[in-house]
Every structure is written in structure tokens, then in C-alpha cells.
Amino acid sequence: MSKPLSDHDRKKQISVRGLAGVENVADLKKNFNRHLHFTLVKDRNVSTKRDYYFALAHTVRDHLVGRWFRTQQSYYEKDPKRVYYLSLEFYMGRTLQNTMVNLALENACDEAVYQLGLDMEELQEMEEDAGLGNGGLGRLAACFLDSMASLGLAAYGYGIRYEFGIFNQKISSGWQVEEADDWLRYGNPWEKARPEYMHPVHFYGRTEHHPDGVKWVDTQVVLALPYDTPVPGYRNNIVNTMRLWSAKAPCEFSLKDFNVGGYIQAVLDRNLAENISRVLYPNDNFFEGKELRLKQEYFVVAATLQDIIRRFKASKFGSRDIVRTDFSTLPDKVAIQLNDTHPALAIPELMRVLIDEEKLPWEKAWDICIKTCAYTNHTVLPEALERWPIDLFQTLLPRHLEIIYEINRRHLERVSSLYPGDVDRMRRMSLIEEGGQKRVNMAHLCIVGSHAVNGVARIHSDILKATVFKDFYEMDPHKFQNKTNGITPRRWLVMCNPGLAEVIAERIGEDFIRDLDQLKKLHDFFNDESFIRDIAKVKQENKLKFAVHLEEHYKVKINPNSMFDVQVKRIHEYKRQLLNCLHIITFYNRIKKEPNKQWTPRTIMIGGKAAPGYHTAKMIIRLITAIGEVVNNDPVVGDRLKVIFLENYRVTLAEKAIPAADLSEQISTAGTEASGTGNMKFMLNGALTIGTMDGANVEMAEEAGEGNIFIFGMRVEDVEAMDAKGYNASEFYNRIPELKQAIDQIAGGFFSPKQPDLFKDIVNMLMHHDRFKVFADYEDYIKCQEKVSALYKKPKEWTKKVILNIAGSGKFSSDRTISQYAREIWGVEPTLENTGGVHHINSV
């Protein structure tokens, strides 16, 4: 049981956690018991912890309903321009605490639950993560939803309600094992099915060209059933909607021809249609050209566009009568943002609807399409770019292929008129890639069909213009923008690190939660002894709490006075977890060589999932666990070095690990990490960063001051120069004795005595075909890590750098990012006013 707050704590915590008024608390208890009784049909004698979680979730959800109605009603009445954020991933994590924070209900709920004799933290731990994403791209979409609601935008997140999200990761004898994430097993109290807004989605079939237009006929139909989840803004009474589609077979499905396999088989075959929304593809930064994935991409786009057009045509609240028929105003009322190329089919689908169904001429339809759509690019890695085989398109979406061909014909006509005779440029810029098998380049489709194209950090946007999309930038420079990513300070500070939020609020008030730039005011406290002490104290408390969590869940004892050195992100060669491994081995070898030296103790934590089919990534996990087995059991080392693999890294584990971290590892090869967002979370939560000049690290160094972040390694220019001259790993291996020793240990079975050649593939890759040049940055990385260790020995100087980092992290709020999208791409004005039409905390 968590103890009740002392008067001092209560006074301290009132600001950030909301008021625990007597009526409020009594109300919550009454509603909790009502839900336990009538919703869950349970009695206190037979209730489980899960029942109590559900009762609390329903009680908190009740506070969203009135605001949700009123927000949506005001959108119908005011008819603002609406923003549609289309994404195949929304990595939401848990919802309960985030809702309490945004509704200022946290203290009242804490008190009510305490008075009911229950433990709030235990109940929160019952909630399943909504793991409908792989990593950065999906979590970004979730942060954006929070910011769009908090800034009062009439915005909708549209995606797929996967029955199985990102797999749960188990480590078994050092290896990753995947298990299905059955997150809906016990039901989801935050969603509401809306069968009245179900839409048909068509696949396969053929096209017929008639004088009066084109028909797509003999298709197979799948129904898209929407589930709505409320998205509350931060204390502004606004509640937006995330609508996720689930696939349903129509009643007639395969029964028309049931004489073939019979009635029973026909009913069983309904599963085939419903498989569309069964499972999230678990690849991060990798394209796998599977038919089911293309079906998912078209499914979300076709269902969403029907919704967009229905809403555009009707504008009075609750009315479904058609009032608008002139589509020329669509771009004044609708903005569609494509989160990567995954929803790129929105472009040909919008064209299909406007031309084939609404009978607009091509030129008019195309003008509307371009003004409505905008595209965000998330990676420059060639293996991640979507290039769909044309024969798959022809079979699955024959009409869309025709439309893409016509888009391409007109596009290439424009290219050749601007660059006469430049056939190579035509080939490079075509939406259709010739070669072995013809493919549709979805990024090219997005650029041509959008009015704005953005990268997600300044350096990334510059790389797009200079390399990947150079030809398109030269032709249409006005389309290209930058929108540096951000994170929501509600989840990533107030919710996951209440101690730090309090210490900050005590000095500068709590307005920083809506306007994170106000953290700049902390510069005034850079030399304030009590503030320095408070910041260090909060970090120590977070470390102790996380250490307890690790001991409970992983049975590992760690030294809470050691530096917590953390690298958490998807396992990928470009993110260079292997570089981290080489530092661990080097540090281990140095301790063994001079065991009596005063080493700065470290607990090195690495966590993240490997795509199930990515062999190298799985071997990297096995190497990390193997190094841990040796290091953690060496009595000479003791508690000066521990290596822990954080199993099943996900949003909920990030919320525990990030506030406890001292050092954040952001060590991708320069030019490969588009932005990164974990880097920003660590910065905001009082860790220092060791990193390359890549992604948003560049801007973080600029904001915090380059001397307050540990930058090492090649810059983009150095990487390009090395590519030109040729990267030769053995040159580094032969020149640097400690590197050679580490590699020889891995290769010789020092970390895998029972299978000496276990890591031969990794060593072979590092020595002969390492695209990401691990050895080239090794020396500088080790030197930089020595500086980190030296500074950590001076706690006050360390903490002062931490303060400058927190003070410089304001730019990295997703509120700033979304304000820029709103003004510079969508043409809507964000507002911090309370526009929900409700001004009292108790209003439902």
C-alpha cells in the first residue's frame, strides 16, 4: 500500500497533480463502486485486481465523455479545417494515468483509491500497453495526437486496430523469443466500437472503361469497422478522436459460391478477410513486400477517405444529410498528413474517388489532391523505402495502378519539358522503377502528389534535399520543409517523472507543461545550490526505484551509485549497439588489467526488440547477453561494471527507465538516424547524452550548448569522404590494440566458451562488410566515454550540465512541432485557450 501524502507532500503536489477536493473524491468512489457493481458485475468479495483496474478505468473514462461530445459538437458547428493524421502505427502505451494527468484528476483518484483500501500503482500495472507500433514512427504519432488535442486542433488519428501489436520479447538462454501480444484478451475500456460508421473496402477485380467513366468491378469486399478512442488535450476540455479500423467479413462473404466447399467452410473462410487487421508487421526501418501488408495499407486509406468525404459533405452536428457537393473547397476544410509512405495510397484513392465516383475532371481532381496531402519522410535507408512490385498492384488494386500510371505520365511530361533530353533524370524521377521486375516507388508518388514534403530533423531534411530526393528538390524546391520531431511533455515528464516536474514547478511555476520553452528560465538556477541538490536527489530516487523494479522483475542486484548508462531503441546495425558492446568489452579489459584503479562504476543497460526475421539483430542481442554472463559473474569486476539486457522494451518500460538514466547513448553512424526521439526524452529527464552528430542530436547540442553534451565521431562529411575512399575495417583493427583484443575475444569464444564460433557472423560483418563503420568511430567513442567517467566523478559539475540540458530541451516538445505543421503545412492556427466550452473541473 502506498502511504497517504503528508501535508507537505500534498501542498507540494497540488499544482501538477490536480486538486483532491472532498466532493470530487466522494464522487469518484461512488462511481468506482457503481462500475464494479453494474459494469463489471462483481462484488468486493470476488473482485480481482484486474476488476479494480477496469472499475477505475471506466470511472476516469466517464470524465471524458461529456467533453468528447462537446468537442465533436463544436467541430460540427464551427466547421473548422480538419487535420487527418494517417499512420499504420500508433504506439500509445497505457492510457489510464495519461488521462488522469490531462484531466487534472490524479490527486483525486489517488485519494479515492487509497480510501477504498487499494494501491494506485498496482492497479496501473494491470493495464496492457497498446503496442500498435514498432518504435519511433508509431510513438511520434501518439505524441502528435496528444499535442494536437492540447493545441485545440480539430484533428483525427486514423490507423488500424491490430488484434496483435508488437510481439512481447522474452529472453531465453540469451536469445530473443517472440510471443504474440494478445493485448485485447481482457477487453479495452478506452475504445468504443462504432458499427454505424462501417465502410466497405474493395480488393482485386478488374476495371471497365466506359464513355461515362471507369468502373472497378468484380471486387472482393471487406468491411472496415471503426473503434474510437478519446484523446484528451492537457487541461483544455478538448477531447479529440483516434479512429482505428478493424476488418470484418460481410455477411454474404463467400456464401455466394458456397456450393464449392460448403456452408461450414464458407463461414470459416471469413477469417481470411478479417486477417487484414490481425497483426502489426514487426519491422522497423525495413520494407517487406508482402501482399497482406499492401492490403493493410489500402484498407486504412480507403476506409479513412470515405470518412473524410462523408464528414466534408455533411457539416451540421448529428446530421448525415449531404450539404456540400463542390469539392474545390476540400483543401480549405481537410488536411491529410501521411506518416511515411505507408498510407501513400491515399493519393491514388483520393483521385479514384474524385474522378470515378464524383466525376471531376483529372486536372481539377489533381489540384485538390496536391493541396490536401502532405508527406513526412522518416528514413534515408534504402532498404526501408517502399517499392511495390507492379504485378502485385495489378492483381490487388488494378484501378489504382492505372491512376498511378497516369500520374506518372503527366509527371514525366513535366520533367521532360523542364529538362529536355535528360533521359537519365526521367528514369531517376519516374514513379515506376524499371529493371528486373517493375516496381512502384511510393516515396516518389508521395512527393509528386503532395504540396509539402518534410524531414524530421534539420540534418535529415538537408540530406533529403542533397541526396535521396535531390532531383525533386531541384524541380519543386518550395515543397521541401523541415519539422524537427518532438515528444509530449505530459507523458514524458509530468507523468513518468513527477518528482522532476515538481522540482521544476517549484522554481518556475507549472506553465512550462503547456509551453516547454519556459524551461529556459532554469538558466537562472544554474548556480542555485538547493536546485542542484534537488535535481540530483530526484535522479537518485528514480534510480533507486528502477533498481528495485529490476531486482523484482529480472532478479539482478545493481549498484544504485553506479552510472546508469542506457541505450534503449530497436536493435539495428545502423543504431550501433555493437559499438556500445565494444566499449563494454574495452572497459572490462581495463578493469581486469588494473583491478586496483579507481574506476567510475557503471551499470550498462541495453534494451530493444529485433525484427523476428533480422538475423544480425538477433545475434547482437545474443552477444549482449553473452557479454553480461561473463562480466556480471567476474569477482574481480564486482559491482564496478554490470551489463543488463532490458527485456521487452516498450513504452511502459521506457517510462520507468528514462527517468533513472544518467547517460543516454545516441550513437548511430552520422547520416542514418533521421531524428530520434528517445534522445529528447533522456534530455528532458536529466540524463546527459553521448552521441554522434546525427538526427536531432545536432539540434540538442545547439540548444544545450555543445560543451554540455558528449559529441564524438565522424560527421556526415567524414562518412561521405570515407565512402569515397573506401572503408577498410582491418586498418583500424590492426592499428588499435584494444579494438583488436575485443574483436579477438568475440571471435575466439571468450564470451561463448561452449560455442566458440557463435559470433563468427558478427565478426565477419564487422571486418568485411560493415555499412555503418563501427570501427571508424571506436577510438573517439572510447576517449569520449573516458570524459564521461571523469565528469561523473564530480557530481556537482555533472548536475550543472544536466540542468543546462533540461533548460535547453524546450524546443523538443511535440507542441512546437505540431504548431509548425499547423501553420506551415496544414494552414490552421493552434490555440492554447480553453475552447472546450467547459470551465469547471467537475463538469462531465
Side-chain angles (χ1 to χ4, degrees), residues 91 128-129 166-171 176-181 549 554 568-569 606-610 621 645-654:
Y91 203 172
E128 300 274 357
D129 271 44
I166 188 64
F167 61 86
N168 284 312
Q169 178 192 57
K170 289 273 191 294
I171 301 298
Q176 166 176 298
V177 178
E178 302 87 20
E179 58 179 42
D181 166 41
H549 171 82
Y554 302 99
V568 284
K569 51 189 70 241
I606 304 177
K609 291 173 184 176
I621 292 175
F645 187 84
L646 294 174
E647 195 176 296
N648 203 30
Y649 180 66
R650 59 199 186 284
V651 173
T652 294
L653 188 54

Side-chain angles (χ1 to χ4, degrees), residues 487-501 504 516 519 535-536 538-540 542-543 654-664 677-689 700 798 802-803 805-807 809:
I487 58 174
T488 172
R490 272 73 63 180
R491 182 174 295 264
W492 296 112
L493 178 57
V494 179
M495 186 184 123
C496 72
N497 202 342
L500 180 56
I504 294 169
L516 205 62
L519 290 177
I535 290 287
V538 166
K539 179 59 73 179
Q540 201 50 41
N542 291 338
K543 289 174 70 173
E655 291 163 3
K656 296 176 167 78
I658 291 171
D662 291 307
L663 185 67
S664 161
T677 44
N679 48 4
M680 302 168 187
K681 292 161 196 169
F682 283 103
M683 182 185 193
L684 182 59
N685 281 279
L688 297 187
T689 301
M700 285 165 52
W798 179 279
V802 164
I803 290 167
N805 271 267
I806 297 171
S809 62

Side-chain angles (χ1 to χ4, degrees), residues 461-595:
S461 297
D462 288 344
I463 288 169
L464 291 181
K465 293 187 289 190
T467 59
V468 208
F469 301 148
K470 180 171 190 280
D471 295 318
F472 292 91
Y473 174 64
E474 285 172 7
M475 188 164 86
D476 288 313
H478 60 275
K479 281 191 181 183
F480 288 78
Q481 304 190 19
N482 173 245
K483 296 287 170 279
T484 299
N485 283 164
I487 58 174
T488 172
R490 272 73 63 180
R491 182 174 295 264
W492 296 112
L493 178 57
V494 179
M495 186 184 123
C496 72
N497 202 342
L500 180 56
E502 273 306 330
V503 163
I504 294 169
E506 280 171 17
R507 305 314 200 279
I508 66 171
E510 56 172 317
D511 281 357
F512 71 91
I513 298 168
R514 330 167 95 87
D515 176 16
L516 205 62
D517 273 324
Q518 294 194 26
L519 290 177
K520 284 196 170 64
K521 295 177 183 169
L522 294 176
H523 280 124
D524 300 345
F525 299 88
F526 172 63
N527 285 307
D528 181 318
E529 294 293 339
S530 82
F531 186 61
I532 294 170
R533 250 196 327 274
D534 284 351
I535 290 287
K537 178 165 168 279
V538 166
K539 179 59 73 179
Q540 201 50 41
E541 286 166 359
N542 291 338
K543 289 174 70 173
L544 281 165
K545 188 171 182 186
F546 191 55
V548 168
H549 171 82
L550 289 178
E551 283 170 37
E552 282 173 8
H553 289 79
Y554 302 99
K555 314 286 172 253
V556 279
K557 193 99 176 73
I558 57 176
N559 172 8
N561 297 312
S562 64
M563 182 200 308
F564 284 14
D565 170 347
V566 184
Q567 184 178 26
V568 284
K569 51 189 70 241
R570 287 296 291 258
I571 310 293
H572 203 298
E573 289 161 84
Y574 87 84
K575 294 175 185 284
R576 297 202 297 190
Q577 283 90 357
L578 285 171
L579 184 57
N580 196 342
C581 288
L582 291 178
H583 169 250
I584 298 172
I585 296 170
T586 303
F587 187 35
Y588 171 75
N589 288 334
R590 287 179 177 186
I591 295 172
K592 294 285 281 183
K593 197 174 162 193
E594 302 183 75

Side-chain angles (χ1 to χ4, degrees), residues 232 298 311 382 416 528 712 774 820 843:
Y298 181 61
R311 225 177 257 124
S416 88
D528 181 318
F712 74 93
V774 171
Q820 292 181 331
S843 310

